[in-house]
Structure formats: C-alpha cells, structure tokens
Amino acid sequence: MKEKIIRKIFNGMIYIHILHHASEEAFYGSWMIEELKGHGYNISPGTLYPVLKEMVEQGLLEKEERIVYGKIRKYYKTTKEGDILLNSLRESLKELTNKI
Ligand SMILES: [Zn+2]
C-alpha cells in the first residue's frame, strides 16, 4: 500500500524531471534513462517510452527524428505548453518546499 503511494510520488517527479531536461535541450530516451539513474530513479525503457508518448500526445513534448550513425533516434523537447507547465510546477514546488 505504502509502496503504491511512493511509486506515484516518484512518477510525478519523473514527469517534472523530463520537462526540466526537455526544456533545456532535446534528449533521447536512453540518455534520459541514464540521467534518471544518476538521480537515483531506476526506470526501464518499458516505463519511460509510454510516459514520453503520453507527454507528446498531451502536447507537452514534441518529438523529432534524427539520423544518428545511420539509425533513427527520437529526440524530445518541450513545447510552449510544456514550458508553461514546467514554470508553474516550479512555482508550486518552491511554495511547497518553503512550507515543509
Ligand atoms: Zn536530471
């Protein structure tokens, strides 16, 4: 039961992380998996890719295909809407961390 709640909170953090990095520079999936690992989140491609897909469908990220070493690699960056959401999340987090 408690694990379920913790998982939900971690998932939320992952969304924020993705928005943050996508607003700085376009990234590709396996880069993000390594990046999240560095922050202590172990996320599999099977978890990450549906999240990215969902965020593209919701208009928060845009996907761009680039050819890298002869292979198609999908890059993600924030849309205007994604940047706006990130900013308001930042404000909420700031407000919250002042309180807890
Ligand atoms: Zn990071």
Side-chain angles (χ1 to χ4, degrees), residues 38-93:
H39 289 286
Y41 302 103
N42 251 314
I43 181 169
S44 68
T47 304
L48 180 68
Y49 284 101
V51 167
L52 293 175
K53 189 169 177 269
E54 183 193 7
M55 291 174 83
V56 169
E57 283 167 0
Q58 297 294 316
L60 299 172
L61 296 180
E62 55 191 11
K63 190 171 74 176
E64 187 201 332
E65 292 186 345
R66 296 184 199 166
I67 309 285
V68 182
Y69 301 119
K71 279 186 177 174
I72 293 174
R73 191 184 268 176
K74 292 167 187 159
Y75 281 80
Y76 299 87
K77 64 176 176 73
T78 46
T79 59
K80 184 103 194 113
E81 210 183 322
D83 285 330
I84 291 167
L85 175 63
L86 178 64
N87 279 329
S88 74
L89 288 171
R90 278 198 180 119
E91 288 308 309
S92 312
L93 279 173

